[in-house]
Amino acid sequence: MDDSKSVLLFSNCIPVKGASRSAICDLQRNSFQLIPNTLYDILHDYRGKNTKEIKSLYDNEYDNEIDEYFKFLIDNELAFTTLEPELFPSIDFSWKSPYKIENSIIDIDENSCHPFEKIFKELNDLGCKSVQLRYFTINITVDDLIEDLRPSLDSRIKHIDIIMPYSKGFDYNKLFEAHERINFLTVYSAPENKTIQKFDTPIFYTVEKISSSQHCGIVYPANFSINIDHFKEALHGNSCLLGKISVDIDGFIRNCPSTPYKSGHINEISLLDAVVDESLREFWLINKDQIAVCQDCEFRYICTDCRAFTIDNEKYAKPSKCSYDPYNAEWSNPSDNPFN
C-alpha cells in the first residue's frame, strides 16, 4: 500500500462508535461492518491524513496493524486511497422534510368502524408517504381489504404495508391488481415461515401470532433500516415516531397506537388538528443520543426505536424489547444475534 496516500471511507459508509466496538453503516448497500474502536478513532480523528502521517502519530509502533485495518476496509469496498482527500467532503446530514406527516399506522380489529374515506383524505392533505394497516384477530376477506383501501387510490400515498392474519385461499393476485401501491405484506399465524413474491411485492409469512399493538417495539437486526433517509432522520429525531400519526382500533388518534396519549377521536377531530397537538408530538424529536444505553450503541442510527415500551416506562430509557448490550457487545436473546 502506498503510504503517501490517504485512506478515505466512501461517502455512503458512515462509522458509528459504540461502547465496545464500532460499526460502519453502508447506506448504499444497506449493510454494516463491525470494526474495533481503535480503527474508528483513526478514521475519525485523522481523516484526510496520509498513511505515513498516521503511522508516525503512533510512533510507527503499530504499522502492521494499521496496514491490516486499511486492507480490511479496501478489501470490503468500504474505502479507497487518494492523494487528494480534500476533494472528497463528508456527506451532508442536514434533514428537512416537505411533509407534515411521514407515515401512519391504522389498527383494525373486529369492532373497528373506521371512516377510511376521511382518514385517507386527511393523510393525503398532510402529505403522508406511507401507511401501514394492521388487522388483528379478524379474518379479513380480499374484498373487505380492497374496499378499506379504495379511498387511497386517489391519494399521493406512495407505500402501503399490510399486516393481516393467514387465511387459506386468500386471493393475493386480486388484491395486488386492485392496489399496486402495496409495498409489503406480512401474514401472521401462517403454517410456516417463508417469503414469496407476488407482483414484485414481498409477502412475508410468519408462524408468529400478532394479536394487538402490544406486539410492537421489538428491536433486532432484521428490523434495522440501513439507508440515508433513515440515518438522517435518526440523527435529528426519533427513528420510529418522528412524523408519525396513528389511529388505534377504537378510532383514537395517537402518535403510535401503543403510545398512551390520545389526541381525540377520528370521528370528532381531524388528523390535521391532531398533528399540531404538542402532546402527540412529545416523542418526535427524541433521538438515540438522548436515550440511556442506546447513546452508547453502534447500531443507534440504523435501528428502529420504541418509546411506547421502555425499561421502567422511563421516557429516556432503552426500549424494553431490545436485548442488545452495547457494553459487552452481546444479545441476551441469542436468536436476535445476526452472527449466530
Side-chain angles (χ1 to χ4, degrees):
M1 186 176 296
D2 184 351
D3 280 4
S4 66
K5 292 184 176 180
S6 299
V7 176
L8 289 186
L9 292 174
F10 288 108
S11 59
N12 57 290
C13 295
I14 313 301
V16 180
K17 189 174 186 178
S20 60
R21 63 183 179 182
S22 298
I24 295 177
C25 303
D26 187 334
L27 305 182
Q28 184 170 326
R29 292 183 290 188
N30 313 117
S31 61
F32 65 84
Q33 285 278 359
L34 297 171
I35 60 170
N37 278 345
T38 48
L39 176 52
Y40 172 91
D41 290 338
I42 291 171
L43 295 169
H44 180 267
D45 296 344
Y46 304 133
R47 186 182 189 279
K49 293 188 179 299
N50 64 39
T51 304
K52 183 179 180 181
E53 291 172 323
I54 292 173
K55 287 177 176 177
S56 69
L57 287 166
Y58 290 93
D59 297 325
N60 294 101
E61 189 175 347
Y62 301 106
D63 287 2
N64 290 336
E65 288 83 355
I66 291 171
D67 284 340
E68 287 179 11
Y69 281 163
F70 288 164
K71 183 177 186 304
F72 167 83
L73 296 175
I74 292 170
D75 287 350
N76 284 279
E77 299 179 324
L78 299 167
F80 62 100
T81 59
T82 177
L83 291 170
E84 300 175 307
E86 67 279 7
L87 298 182
F88 301 93
S90 299
I91 200 166
D92 178 8
F93 279 109
S94 59
W95 182 82
K96 290 182 180 178
S97 173
Y99 311 107
K100 293 180 179 177
I101 284 294
E102 293 283 327
N103 62 88
S104 177
I105 296 175
I106 305 170
D107 279 354
I108 306 108
D109 73 2
E110 63 270 27
N111 298 314
S112 299
C113 190
H114 293 332
F116 285 103
E117 290 273 2
K118 177 177 187 291
I119 292 172
F120 279 112
K121 179 184 182 306
E122 292 175 0
L123 289 176
N124 181 63
D125 291 343
L126 289 165
C128 182
K129 292 186 296 182
S130 304
V131 178
Q132 183 181 71
L133 276 73
R134 307 190 299 191
Y135 291 89
F136 301 128
T137 66
I138 57 175
N139 292 318
I140 186 77
T141 69
V142 65
D143 291 329
D144 290 339
L145 213 160
I146 288 173
E147 178 59 22
D148 287 350
L149 291 174
R150 183 185 50 75
S152 72
L153 290 173
D154 295 326
S155 74
R156 292 173 291 171
I157 293 168
K158 294 180 179 177
H159 305 294
I160 296 174
D161 291 350
I162 305 290
I163 297 177
M164 58 177 285
Y166 176 78
S167 177
K168 190 175 182 180
F170 189 90
D171 191 345
Y172 297 107
N173 290 344
K174 184 175 182 179
L175 174 63
F176 295 138
E177 286 172 355
H179 293 287
E180 296 180 352
R181 279 178 281 191
I182 294 177
N183 187 57
F184 197 86
L185 197 152
T186 301
V187 178
Y188 63 86
S189 300
E192 60 179 322
N193 293 322
K194 65 178 181 179
T195 302
I196 64 171
Q197 291 282 133
K198 285 275 189 182
F199 290 86
D200 297 326
T201 301
I203 304 177
F204 173 63
Y205 290 88
T206 174
V207 298
E208 198 171 355
K209 183 178 181 181
I210 303 174
S211 57
S212 76
S213 61
Q214 297 297 304
H215 188 272
C216 202
I218 301 170
V219 178
Y220 57 102
N223 282 348
F224 284 176
S225 187
I226 314 172
N227 59 70
I228 192 164
D229 289 339
H230 181 94
F231 199 93
K232 282 185 174 183
E233 191 172 295
L235 286 171
H236 296 278
N238 191 267
S239 55
C240 179
L241 299 174
L242 178 63
K244 181 188 292 280
I245 196 166
S246 303
V247 179
D248 71 12
I249 55 173
D250 297 316
F252 288 104
I253 302 169
R254 303 172 186 260
N255 188 176
C256 144
S258 301
T259 48
Y261 179 76
K262 295 183 283 190
S263 189
H265 196 278
I266 187 64
N267 288 332
E268 298 170 353
I269 69 168
S270 72
L271 295 175
L272 288 79
D273 290 335
V275 79
V276 297
D277 181 343
E278 288 297 328
S279 295
L280 183 134
R281 301 155 64 104
E282 176 184 3
F283 301 115
W284 278 22
L285 297 181
I286 298 178
N287 68 15
K288 287 289 189 167
D289 292 321
Q290 299 170 277
I291 296 171
V293 182
C294 297
Q295 61 194 212
D296 297 320
C297 178
E298 62 273 24
F299 304 124
R300 60 188 177 276
Y301 303 129
I302 57 176
C303 84
T304 300
D305 188 40
C306 177
R307 293 298 88 205
F309 305 109
T310 60
I311 293 175
D312 297 327
N313 293 318
E314 290 289 335
K315 183 175 179 179
Y316 293 96
K318 174 187 172 185
S320 58
K321 297 182 184 180
C322 174
S323 73
Y324 185 62
D325 172 5
Y327 305 106
N328 293 301
E330 292 178 347
W331 298 85
S332 58
N333 182 358
S335 64
D336 291 344
N337 189 343
F339 306 106
N340 281 344

